[in-house]
Amino acid sequence: MKSTTLFAICLLLSVSVYAQTNTDITRKGFVFGFSSGIANTVLSFSSKSQNNTNLALNWKIGYMLNPKIALLLNGAVSIYEYNLSDRKRLRDFGGVFASTQYFVSNKLWILGGLGVGTDAPVFYDLKPENTIETKYYSGIGAISSIGYEIYRKNNFALDLQARINYNAVNLPIGKTNGFTSALQVGLNFY
């Protein structure tokens, strides 16, 4: 997994060097973005702790207040393997966050937000006849990320992102705290 990640980062950096353009991007109006990559989730359940690496997804939608600041609704998904029941299954330790994105420079941005942290079922690993698997749990959460745009054209930007989010979710087995760190490639439309 580490060699695949290293290869992907090298590939994206080489694409960045090849695709450098001086095309100015106009950031105004509505913003939409989607990113995907890998996440490492560290959870502390009441009876044990666990560490998983799996899929990370992120979406954001919002509005540019000016060319440097956007107000966003940001959704984070971090898949992990839940094994404290009768069957091991995949769940999402993510959330939905009200956040602000600020462009520090023309290509570098930072993001921070607070919202609802969730522990939710993953639709492709769900057995609906077992009703406990379809339960959603929530709590408080926070997110922060940093990104760098490696390619821009018109109102489209491709970026590399690093994300960290923290959630404190109330599960039937007790309060669960966890951190998720993710490396992602994002597509953004301004």
Side-chain angles (χ1 to χ4, degrees):
M1 184 62 108
K2 289 181 182 178
S3 62
T4 305
T5 304
L6 185 59
F7 174 75
I9 290 170
C10 289
L11 179 66
L12 288 170
L13 289 176
S14 64
V15 167
S16 172
V17 170
Y18 176 74
Q20 289 297 320
T21 63
N22 290 332
T23 306
D24 287 332
I25 190 167
T26 304
R27 294 184 191 96
K28 65 180 182 176
F30 286 100
V31 178
F32 173 76
F34 177 80
S35 60
S36 180
I38 60 169
N40 184 49
T41 304
V42 179
L43 299 171
S44 296
F45 295 105
S46 57
S47 59
K48 70 177 248 181
S49 294
Q50 73 180 54
N51 187 344
N52 293 101
T53 300
N54 210 317
L55 177 67
L57 300 172
N58 217 87
W59 57 267
K60 61 185 174 184
I61 188 165
Y63 190 80
M64 295 296 300
L65 297 177
N66 61 47
K68 287 194 165 276
I69 298 175
L71 292 179
L72 304 168
L73 186 61
N74 193 333
V77 174
S78 301
I79 308 299
Y80 76 97
E81 187 176 89
Y82 182 84
N83 55 13
L84 297 175
S85 66
D86 57 342
R87 142 181 124 80
K88 288 184 179 180
R89 63 185 185 271
L90 298 177
R91 289 190 62 86
D92 160 34
F93 197 73
V96 178
F97 309 95
S99 47
T100 302
Q101 183 174 347
Y102 176 73
F103 284 85
V104 177
S105 70
N106 201 22
K107 294 184 177 188
L108 179 70
W109 56 263
I110 56 174
L111 179 143
L114 296 172
V116 178
T118 60
D119 186 282
V122 176
F123 74 92
Y124 57 85
D125 188 28
L126 189 64
K127 298 220 184 276
E129 62 275 3
N130 187 351
T131 57
I132 194 74
E133 291 189 22
T134 60
K135 302 272 186 193
Y136 286 78
Y137 304 102
S138 63
I140 191 163
I143 189 169
S144 66
S145 36
I146 186 168
Y148 185 80
E149 294 179 347
I150 58 173
Y151 176 77
R152 297 184 304 181
K153 183 154 183 145
N154 298 329
N155 292 340
F156 167 77
L158 178 71
D159 62 18
L160 297 177
Q161 305 173 14
R163 177 191 85 202
I164 295 175
N165 63 296
Y166 168 80
N167 292 339
V169 177
N170 297 313
L171 295 175
I173 60 171
K175 186 174 241 180
T176 300
N177 297 308
F179 279 96
T180 299
S181 55
L183 293 174
Q184 300 174 298
V185 176
L187 305 172
N188 301 287
F189 299 92
Y190 299 100

